[in-house]
Amino acid sequence: MSQERSSLLIHNDEYRKLDQEHHEYERRLSTLTEKAVLSDEEQVEETTLKKKKLQVKDRMEAIARQVRSSAHP
């Protein structure tokens, strides 16, 4: 884990919450990908989870960029 990420997890509540969400989405996706066949509902859930996971990751990266730019004007 990078020092920047560790610092964000300690000092930034939004980043920490997003990190937890990201891990929850990843766990559920892992459960779904272990199945040989997904129901229609599970396929929709998988697609939705992938989109949510990507949105969370994008927001985490935006927070990290913002912190970097404010630390290095």
Side-chain angles (χ1 to χ4, degrees), residues 16-70:
R16 184 172 40 257
K17 178 182 165 285
L18 291 168
D19 186 65
Q20 290 170 348
E21 283 181 40
H22 189 268
H23 286 294
E24 288 171 22
Y25 296 150
E26 184 62 40
R27 276 193 292 276
R28 181 61 182 143
L29 281 167
S30 292
T31 302
L32 290 172
T33 57
E34 290 173 3
K35 294 187 171 193
V37 178
L38 296 177
S39 68
D40 289 345
E41 185 177 290
E42 288 170 329
Q43 288 176 12
V44 170
E45 180 184 7
E46 180 184 41
T47 302
T48 303
L49 286 169
K50 286 179 178 179
K51 289 177 184 178
K52 287 181 177 181
K53 187 177 159 204
L54 184 58
Q55 289 171 340
V56 166
K57 186 170 176 93
D58 287 347
R59 179 63 188 137
M60 290 170 70
E61 289 175 5
I63 292 169
R65 276 193 308 275
Q66 185 179 21
V67 167
R68 277 193 303 271
S69 68
S70 66

